[in-house]
Amino acid sequence: MFQPSRNMKNEPRDQGRSMARNGTPLEAAHASVRALIGEKVRYLVPMTVVFMTAYVGLTALAGFAKGLVGIKVIGSVNLGFVLIAFNYLLSWLLAILYGRIARSKFDPLAARAALDASKGLPK
């Protein structure tokens, strides 16, 4: 069972405005983290929608349009194989794109958030 220490009983309670460590607010860290999350959402939501549309679309075509995916494209290669290859290619392209975006946009924001958070920690 958790037993609060004497110091915890005497410390003022945080009202949700900011986290406090030795009386130092971490509002700058909160803003940095919010900026990082906002930037990630800006890129990851469209990337996820594109991938899921392609993946679910291929599954739906394979299940409900067997005649369409069975059309021969080149020799014995049918449209289904081409779409599967496109899905693999799309996955790799999105992963490479994410890596480049993370390096150029997310990593500096994460470093800034870590720096802002470390300023509020006791030394």
Side-chain angles (χ1 to χ4, degrees):
M1 181 175 208
F2 177 73
Q3 295 290 329
S5 68
R6 289 183 188 175
N7 292 339
M8 289 180 71
K9 290 179 182 177
N10 297 332
E11 290 178 353
R13 198 174 166 124
D14 185 21
Q15 300 297 320
R17 284 176 242 127
S18 67
M19 290 177 54
R21 301 259 175 136
N22 291 345
T24 305
L26 294 176
E27 291 177 10
H30 288 260
S32 298
V33 170
R34 278 193 296 274
L36 174 62
I37 291 170
E39 194 72 12
K40 281 190 165 199
V41 167
R42 179 177 164 210
Y43 288 99
L44 292 178
V45 168
M47 291 171 79
T48 302
V49 168
V50 166
F51 175 76
M52 290 304 294
T53 301
Y55 185 76
V56 172
L58 174 62
T59 305
L61 283 175
F64 299 110
K66 292 179 183 174
L68 179 65
V69 294
I71 295 173
K72 302 287 184 193
V73 178
I74 299 171
S76 63
V77 177
N78 62 23
L79 185 60
F81 285 119
V82 172
L83 291 175
I84 290 170
F86 171 74
N87 252 348
Y88 280 106
L89 180 64
L90 180 65
S91 299
W92 277 97
L93 289 174
L94 288 174
I96 291 167
L97 182 63
Y98 175 81
R100 290 183 179 179
I101 292 170
R103 186 179 31 223
S104 67
K105 302 215 183 261
F106 304 156
D107 290 351
L109 289 172
R112 178 67 185 173
L115 180 65
D116 289 346
S118 68
K119 288 178 183 176
L121 295 176
K123 295 187 183 204

